[in-house]
């Protein structure tokens, strides 16, 4: 292992035998940053029976693969203890985590227990004269801050989608170092009791190219089929703001926003959604957003590419009818 102190570590997130996509985004950017710092890119892969995943991490100079039954489930406590022990032995300059539920937990814990700075929600990472300068998103994306970190070890959480994943993919076989856990894990008190996933047969809204999003303006559960028909015609899915989910009209897996999913569809149609910052946080990177709201001052119009100040129940039937008429009928 390097002792230069300029290495960049990427914590590899994986689930059900697959490395999660944003890890490749971190690896791609990490490759560039490690080059600028004159250090090496190291992927830290911790879990149980995860060794086969190492072959997909060829962009890294090396993979630290730590296998232990106690790491089978992700717990910040267990994975954090391992990461800390490794980093204390051979301190990197940067530790990159996804700004995901797991990454945020782990980065915060690592920062607190190791006493190192943490910059969250990073969108850009640059090296200027050996200084690490990062752009961090704040207040749900309303503000961007430029943060300069000192010369010592720093943890960063990086927003999924901030960097392309292609640069993190390589056919090269990485150098893999298989290590036992550097700390005993029997005493870990945190247990995973349940993994919340889209219900079987339910759509994964983070992958849908078109999203028809409904807010409190939908008024009643009986009105949801109007949105569902439109979604069907556009090959998309229905998602919602929190009040709709809180009513139990759609499952939690359809919620967009701070406490729901972050989506980046090609097209996001917001119907009867006010545009509270907690909602916007989850959809602001949609490629094209059209908002329909009866209140012309609704904040959703500030983030929409096009806005229709009208009653959604006037707009929806016209739109559906138009699309139905244009759709070629089945032979
Ligand atoms: C910690 C925290 C986390 C949160 N997480 C989330 C989250 O993940 N996702 C989320 O969405 N919210 C979240 N919220 C809630 C958020 O603050 C808002 O309360 C919520 O987004 C509002 O939902 P809404 O826009 O559907 O409802 P409202 O704010 O009530 O807006 C309804 C809108 O519909 C319009 N409208 C009404 N009738 C019609 C009609 N017939 N035609 C057209 N327009 C009409 C109104 O003009 C209004 O703008 C969170 C809040 C907190 C405090």
């Amino acid at each position: 292992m390097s002792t230069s102190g300029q290495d960049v570590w990427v914590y590899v997130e994986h689930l059900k035998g697959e490395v999660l996509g944003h890890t490749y985004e971190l690896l791609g950017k990490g490759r560039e940053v490690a080059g600028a710092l004159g250090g090496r890119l190291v992927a830290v892969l911790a879990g149980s029976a995860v060794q086969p995943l190492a072959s997909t991490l060829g962009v890294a100079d090396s993979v630290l693969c730590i296998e232990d039954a106690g790491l089978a489930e992700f717990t910040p406590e267990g994975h954090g203890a391992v990461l800390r022990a490794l980093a204390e032995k051979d301190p990197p300059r940067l530790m990159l985590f996804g700004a995901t539920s797991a990454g945020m937990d782990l980065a915060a814990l690592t920062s607190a227990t190791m006493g190192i700075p943490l910059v969250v929600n990073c969108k850009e990472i640059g090296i200027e004269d050996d200084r690490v300068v990062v752009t961090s998103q704040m207040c749900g994306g309303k503000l961007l801050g430029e943060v300069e970190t000192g010369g010592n070890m720093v943890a960063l959480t990086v927003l999924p989608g901030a960097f392309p994943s292609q640069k993190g993919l390589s056919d090269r076989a990485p150098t893999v170092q298989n290590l036992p856990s550097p700390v005993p894990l029997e005493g870990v008190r945190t247990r995973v009791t349940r993994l919340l996933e889209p219900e079987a047969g339910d759509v994964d809204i983070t992958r849908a190219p078109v999203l028809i999003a409904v807010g409190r303006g939908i008024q009643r559960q009986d009105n949801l089929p109007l949105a569902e028909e439109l979604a069907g015609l556009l090959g998309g899915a229905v998602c919602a703001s929190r009040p709709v989910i809180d009513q139990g009209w759609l499952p939690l897996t359809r919620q967009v926003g701070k406490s729901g999913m972050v989506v980046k569809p090609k097209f996001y149609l917001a119907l009867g959604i006010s545009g509270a910052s907690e909602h916007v946080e989850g959809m602001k990177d949609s490629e094209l957003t059209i908002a329909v709201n009866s209140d012309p001052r609704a904040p959703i119009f500030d983030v929409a590419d096009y806005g229709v100040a009208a009653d959604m129940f006037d707009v929806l039937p016209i739109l559906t009818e138009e699309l139905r008429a244009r759709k070629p009928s089945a032979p």
Side-chain angles (χ1 to χ4, degrees):
M1 279 167 80
S2 159
T3 50
S4 70
Q6 296 299 319
D7 291 351
V8 175
W9 285 15
V10 169
Y11 174 77
V12 177
E13 265 188 68
H14 54 87
L15 191 65
K16 296 183 177 173
E18 275 184 40
V19 173
L20 300 184
H22 66 268
T23 291
Y24 298 110
E25 299 170 9
L26 300 186
L27 285 168
K29 189 64 186 178
R31 173 79 278 154
E32 185 189 314
V33 174
L37 286 169
R40 299 183 326 142
L41 177 64
V42 178
V44 183
L45 175 62
S48 171
V50 287
Q51 212 182 342
L53 301 183
S55 64
T56 71
L57 307 170
V59 159
D61 295 303
S62 70
V63 178
L64 295 182
C65 181
I66 304 96
E67 296 231 17
D68 192 293
L71 297 169
E73 303 277 17
F74 170 79
T75 63
E77 194 186 351
H79 283 235
V82 167
L83 199 58
R84 190 167 69 248
L86 294 171
E88 276 169 359
K89 190 161 166 247
D90 187 9
R93 175 79 180 269
L94 283 181
M95 282 202 233
L96 305 185
F97 302 86
T100 58
S101 308
M104 287 191 287
D105 273 356
L106 194 54
L109 188 74
T110 303
S111 160
T113 53
M114 294 193 73
I116 61 169
L118 166 66
V119 188
V120 297
N121 295 336
C122 299
K123 283 180 82 127
E124 190 47 86
I125 309 168
I127 306 300
E128 295 175 12
D129 303 327
D130 196 45
R131 290 168 300 131
V132 179
V133 181
V134 295
T135 306
S136 157
Q137 181 177 290
M138 294 175 247
C139 300
K142 285 192 174 157
L143 292 174
L144 292 178
E146 198 172 273
V147 181
E148 192 181 306
T149 68
N152 296 326
M153 200 193 318
V154 178
L156 307 179
T157 66
V158 178
L159 291 169
F163 304 113
S165 57
Q166 294 89 321
K167 290 188 175 171
L169 298 165
S170 165
D171 293 337
R172 207 178 65 92
T175 306
V176 182
Q177 257 191 292
N178 292 302
L179 303 170
S181 173
V183 287
L185 295 162
E186 294 77 34
V188 170
R189 293 156 301 173
T190 324
R191 293 274 174 275
V192 175
T193 56
R194 184 176 162 220
L195 186 63
L196 203 63
E197 288 186 287
E199 286 166 17
D202 194 14
V203 284
D204 179 353
I205 61 168
T206 62
R207 289 172 192 244
V210 173
L211 286 174
I212 309 300
V214 293
R216 210 195 300 265
I218 193 82
Q219 294 173 8
R220 295 195 313 272
Q221 188 170 19
D222 304 357
N223 290 329
L224 276 177
L226 294 171
E228 271 152 11
E229 184 177 5
L230 185 60
L233 286 163
L234 289 169
V238 173
C239 61
S241 65
R242 182 156 148 181
V244 174
I245 307 299
D246 287 350
Q247 292 285 342
W249 296 346
L250 283 170
L252 184 58
T253 46
R254 303 281 188 113
Q255 180 175 320
V256 171
K258 188 186 185 84
S259 45
M261 304 288 181
V262 175
V263 296
K264 276 206 297 185
K266 286 189 187 311
F267 174 41
Y268 192 86
L269 179 62
L271 300 168
I273 293 181
S274 59
S277 61
E278 293 86 359
H279 182 80
V280 169
E281 201 169 324
M283 50 64 68
K284 64 179 181 329
D285 291 327
S286 303
E287 281 180 36
L288 175 73
T289 300
I290 301 181
V292 182
N293 196 303
S294 47
D295 176 2
R297 287 163 308 158
I300 191 72
F301 291 130
D302 297 337
V303 287
D305 298 290
Y306 297 96
V308 185
D311 188 320
M312 60 185 273
F313 296 106
D314 291 337
V315 177
L316 255 177
I318 299 169
L319 200 55
T320 306
E321 195 45 51
E322 275 290 319
L323 286 164
R324 220 187 275 136
R326 283 164 192 238
K327 205 166 170 77
S329 45

